[in-house]
Amino acid sequence: MDIFLQQLINGLVLGSVYALIALGYTMVYGILELINFAHGEVVMIGAMVTLAVVNALMASGVDLPGVVVVAGGVLVAVPVCMALGFAIERVAYRPLRRAPRLAPLITAIGVSIVLQNVAMIIWGRSYISFPPILPATRHDIAGAGVTDLQIFIFLLALVLMAGLVLLVQKTRIGRGMRATAQAPEIAGLMGVNVNAVISFTFILGSALAAIAGVMVSAYYGIAHYYMGFLLGLKAFTAAVLGGIGNIAGAMLGGLLLGVIESMAAGYIGDITGGFLGSHYQDVFAFFVLIGVLVFRPSGLLGERVAERP
Amino acid sequence: MNWQRVKSDRRAALVAFVALGLLLAAAPFLVGAGLGNGWVRILDFTLLYVMLALGLNIVVGYAGLLDLGYVAFYAVGAYLYALLASPQFGLHLPVWLILPLGALVAGLFGMTLGAPTLRLRGDYLAIVTLGFGEIIRIFLNNLDAPVNITNGPQGINLIDPIALGGVSLSQSFSLFGMQVPGIYAYYYLFLALALLIVFISLRLQDSRIGRAWVAIREDEVAAEAMGINTRNVKLLAFAMGASFGGISGGLFAGFQGFVSPESFNLMESVMILCMVVLGGMGHIPGVILGAILLTVLPEALRYIGPLEQALFGRVVVDPADLRMLIFGLALIVVMIFRPAGLWPSKTRRREFDSEPSVLEHEQEALYDASR
């Protein structure tokens, strides 16, 4: 039973990070009907920039609490990623808004490759470790352990998601986003600056991605130039699971995928009698993805969209 | 049309055809003499990629089904060859048995992928196929325990080279008193098979099936209304594309003598898709051009090292790192300036060059108004 609780906790923490990234996919898809394949790379850049700042601060010997150092890194990483998100849309998607659908897919792949290789040239091919500056106190809950970091990640993710919902529901730009998602042409006629809304969506999604990147690298203790690919894929799966284009769906899908994955990793050995080990963990995201798309392409909370050409 | 001109056109075509044939026949010797035998090996790989790209072209270019997991079928073919002709299971079956078997098994895998995804289109299909490719790769990576099948991440070694009529292609042979390495023999085998696949692709293009694929690509609902069995025709596209991939995989395993899951990652699928799209989807010469460009360019970019040396006095950035960066930039630039590909077919070019439709005009006006 304590394995169950432990995996539930791990899954929820991981899932909250997936949810943050999934929001970026879902918002862009809601507005442009486009899968931003380069989003995972923004997550990676967020983690890498933060780590670079943190490591530089540590090396320079400043005597600040670890939390402040990490916050400093985040303060650099978030604007960098926002600028990156803006640039990606401007360079790779906007010129192709009316081109055949394959064209933006290829430019997105191009952007991913470029970002990965730029990161590799700057930070090298090896794993960069996160200095152990965050308190790792473990609390005991009914036989399962939970660290301060896990609690913090989960709560921060919840706060950010709540903030996003408020922004989309209550503010003027949020109303513009919803209007553009409904019908871009009509929104334009009604005085919404469609291009500004699209840029804003990319910037917002990238800010969340940057924070998610920091969370992941702090949680696992490492960052790597290639980490964005799998993370992006899983977050996309989460978005599809919840119903792509649906903000609440992305959050639900993220948490659910995190829990499914952790549970699978915890129990797969027992279920298959040791035939499949926990290194099959990553397969589950793909099975979930295929299962959802085949049986319920609209996702848990979404409308029917899969038939769109 | 002027009769005289038709005649001279035909003569010009014949001359060009003969010249191309001579060039293809002499290519390994010219390349080997000019650039060294390492480049003949690259030439062999180029032909493998031409076959792969033509296989994917059936799925993506003709039928418009966006497949990002194509490399899975390449992997199936390669692993089948590796398992049936290596010390792994102690089997050493002949290549002419394995290659058709590889095509068949890969084709079955293609149908397995196609069947549940028939309703999906566009980006969704891309993502599912991507997931499928990754699942295959993860299994290849982990099927070494508790029963060792694929040998896990280490891959399978000592695969039998392809042998024709009892003569192994990996050994050098003598020609006019010259010792010629085995990579030349592989070149001619690959060239023959690539030409066969080109021929099949050409015949398919104008066949009933090929027209049905294009109809589905352009408008699935209309195609169905015209009496096309979209389900069967789509499955056939998946199966055919996959079987070409399976054959190429088998050739790869025999040529390389070694397979590991590393060769079949997503980047490989992306690369093959880029060949098709960058060259000109659905246009065979375009796809071949794409395959040649994308195989040769990254290799040629290795020469950036000496260039940097000459320009800056030292190697600033490792050329191996830089070439993927340039590759990524090239993808973006080409797509922005030529979204139909470098060498699109005449019909597609017409579609892109034609006056924007009324609807597009309106949309443009609206976007402008919103600026």
Side-chain angles (χ1 to χ4, degrees):
Chain A
M1 195 58 199
D2 40 340
I3 295 183
F4 179 83
L5 194 62
Q6 184 70 61
Q7 296 297 41
L8 184 68
I9 292 170
N10 294 347
L12 284 175
V13 174
L14 203 57
S16 63
V17 179
Y18 289 162
L20 278 188
I21 310 172
L23 284 169
Y25 281 103
T26 236
M27 287 192 298
V28 166
Y29 193 91
I31 287 180
L32 284 181
E33 277 173 37
L34 175 116
I35 297 170
N36 179 9
F37 267 95
H39 194 58
E41 265 56 53
V42 180
V43 177
M44 176 272 291
I45 296 281
M48 294 302 246
V49 170
T50 307
L51 262 177
V53 173
V54 167
N55 281 329
L57 280 177
M58 297 302 286
S60 70
V62 288
D63 192 29
L64 291 168
V67 180
V68 178
V69 174
V70 175
V74 174
L75 283 180
V76 178
V78 168
V80 167
C81 285
M82 286 166 125
L84 194 61
F86 176 76
I88 289 173
E89 194 268 330
R90 220 34 199 277
V91 171
Y93 297 136
R94 190 171 295 183
L96 290 165
R97 221 174 263 168
R98 280 184 294 276
R101 296 183 65 83
L102 259 174
L105 181 82
I106 301 282
T107 52
I109 290 170
V111 170
S112 296
I113 294 173
V114 168
L115 290 180
Q116 268 175 27
N117 283 278
V118 166
M120 192 180 76
I121 289 170
I122 298 177
W123 291 292
R125 284 170 190 270
S126 45
Y127 287 88
I128 303 175
S129 59
F130 205 102
I133 50 175
L134 295 173
T137 335
R138 271 175 82 88
H139 306 280
D140 199 61
I141 302 177
V146 56
T147 63
D148 281 345
L149 182 63
Q150 284 183 313
I151 296 173
F152 182 71
I153 288 177
F154 188 66
L155 289 183
L156 179 60
L158 287 189
V159 169
L160 286 173
M161 285 189 261
L164 182 82
V165 170
L166 280 179
L167 185 126
V168 171
Q169 295 298 334
K170 301 285 180 199
T171 62
R172 192 180 160 78
I173 184 87
R175 191 156 18 123
M177 285 168 73
R178 282 179 289 141
T180 309
Q182 283 285 327
E185 296 86 22
I186 316 264
L189 281 180
M190 295 295 130
V192 176
N193 186 340
V194 175
N195 280 323
V197 165
I198 292 171
S199 290
F200 180 76
T201 308
F202 272 83
I203 291 170
L204 192 61
S206 302
L208 292 177
I211 296 171
V214 181
M215 287 175 171
V216 173
S217 58
Y219 188 48
Y220 287 124
I222 47 168
H224 188 233
Y225 78 97
Y226 199 60
M227 66 188 267
F229 164 66
L230 199 59
L231 269 175
L233 215 53
K234 284 181 180 172
F236 175 78
T237 305
V240 172
L241 178 61
I244 193 157
N246 184 315
I247 287 180
M251 300 175 190
L252 179 70
L255 290 176
L256 213 54
L257 186 72
V259 173
I260 291 174
E261 215 182 272
S262 294
M263 290 294 170
Y267 285 104
I268 183 172
D270 296 344
I271 293 170
T272 59
F275 179 69
L276 301 174
S278 59
H279 41 253
Y280 280 95
Q281 183 185 353
D282 292 339
V283 170
F284 288 95
F286 299 117
F287 276 129
V288 168
L289 179 67
I290 293 177
V292 174
L293 284 179
V294 169
F295 294 109
R296 197 177 157 78
S298 53
L300 296 174
L301 301 180
E303 299 154 27
R304 267 186 86 75
V305 286
E307 297 280 341
R308 268 180 196 154
Chain B
M1 194 187 275
N2 192 317
W3 178 81
Q4 279 292 336
R5 211 173 117 209
V6 172
K7 202 174 168 190
S8 71
D9 273 2
R10 268 197 194 157
R11 191 172 301 151
L14 190 70
V15 169
F17 195 73
V18 170
L20 184 68
L22 285 175
L23 187 69
L24 283 177
F29 291 94
L30 295 177
V31 169
L35 295 161
N37 281 344
W39 274 91
V40 181
R41 214 180 135 73
I42 294 169
L43 215 55
D44 291 358
F45 270 109
T46 309
L47 285 170
L48 264 183
Y49 279 111
V50 166
M51 288 185 238
L52 278 171
L54 285 171
L56 185 62
N57 182 46
I58 290 181
V59 187
V60 181
Y62 290 171
L65 302 162
L66 187 45
D67 187 349
L68 268 179
Y70 188 65
V71 81
F73 311 121
Y74 187 44
V76 166
Y79 265 87
L80 198 76
Y81 189 102
L83 292 174
L84 297 180
S86 76
Q88 177 77 357
F89 291 147
L91 292 169
H92 298 277
L93 300 183
V95 60
W96 296 122
L97 194 66
I98 303 175
L99 282 187
L101 197 64
L104 187 75
V105 174
L108 285 177
F109 268 84
M111 300 240 270
T112 317
L113 169 67
T117 55
L118 283 172
R119 286 188 300 160
L120 304 173
R121 301 189 65 187
D123 299 346
Y124 277 82
L125 186 63
I127 294 285
V128 172
T129 49
L130 188 157
F132 178 79
E134 284 297 296
I135 288 175
I136 298 270
R137 196 181 60 83
I138 291 172
F139 270 93
L140 291 178
N141 218 349
N142 291 305
L143 277 179
D144 53 345
V147 189
N148 186 1
I149 302 171
T150 64
N151 219 13
Q154 285 108 32
I156 299 174
N157 227 331
L158 299 171
I159 300 169
D160 299 346
I162 297 173
L164 297 179
V167 183
S168 166
L169 291 194
S170 67
Q171 270 141 27
S172 58
F173 59 95
S174 64
L175 195 80
F176 306 124
M178 233 181 358
Q179 278 300 107
V180 182
I183 44 173
Y184 287 62
Y186 273 110
Y187 170 84
Y188 291 111
L189 173 69
F190 289 179
L191 182 65
L193 287 169
L195 288 176
L196 180 69
I197 289 182
V198 169
F199 178 73
I200 296 174
S201 294
L202 278 173
R203 299 301 296 165
L204 273 174
Q205 196 171 25
D206 294 328
S207 72
R208 226 183 140 76
I209 299 167
R211 286 167 196 277
W213 283 335
V214 173
I216 286 179
R217 183 186 76 199
E218 296 301 324
D219 189 335
E220 191 171 338
V221 179
E224 195 156 16
M226 295 309 284
I228 293 171
N229 184 335
T230 51
R231 186 196 56 190
N232 289 0
V233 170
K234 273 184 175 181
L235 276 182
L236 191 66
F238 269 119
M240 262 186 145
S243 58
F244 285 1
I247 293 177
S248 314
L251 296 173
F252 169 76
F255 177 54
Q256 185 91 335
F258 166 71
V259 293
S260 82
E262 270 309 291
S263 312
F264 308 107
N265 54 25
L266 178 77
M267 204 46 228
E268 204 69 15
S269 282
V270 167
M271 202 68 137
I272 303 168
L273 181 71
C274 289
M275 289 170 185
V276 175
V277 178
L278 218 59
M281 264 172 50
H283 191 222
I284 294 168
V287 172
I288 296 174
L289 174 76
I292 295 173
L293 272 184
L294 289 193
T295 328
V296 172
L297 261 189
E299 299 297 334
L301 286 174
R302 286 182 200 280
Y303 291 105
I304 286 181
L307 190 73
E308 278 182 48
Q309 190 89 42
L311 278 177
F312 307 112
R314 64 191 175 94
V315 177
V316 184
V317 181
D318 184 11
D321 295 351
L322 207 56
R323 69 199 181 108
M324 284 315 287
L325 188 67
I326 293 174
F327 172 69
L329 286 173
L331 287 186
I332 302 171
V333 171
V334 171
M335 275 301 114
I336 287 176
F337 292 104
R338 291 193 74 103
L342 291 170
W343 192 356
S345 64
K346 275 197 190 113
T347 46
R348 276 186 80 78
R349 200 178 317 151
R350 244 196 329 263
E351 282 170 32
F352 280 95
D353 288 349
S354 63
E355 288 291 306
S357 66
V358 180
L359 187 78
E360 278 172 343
H361 257 312
E362 266 174 27
Q363 277 182 351
E364 216 160 325
L366 285 170
Y367 273 105
D368 286 341
S370 65
R371 271 194 197 114

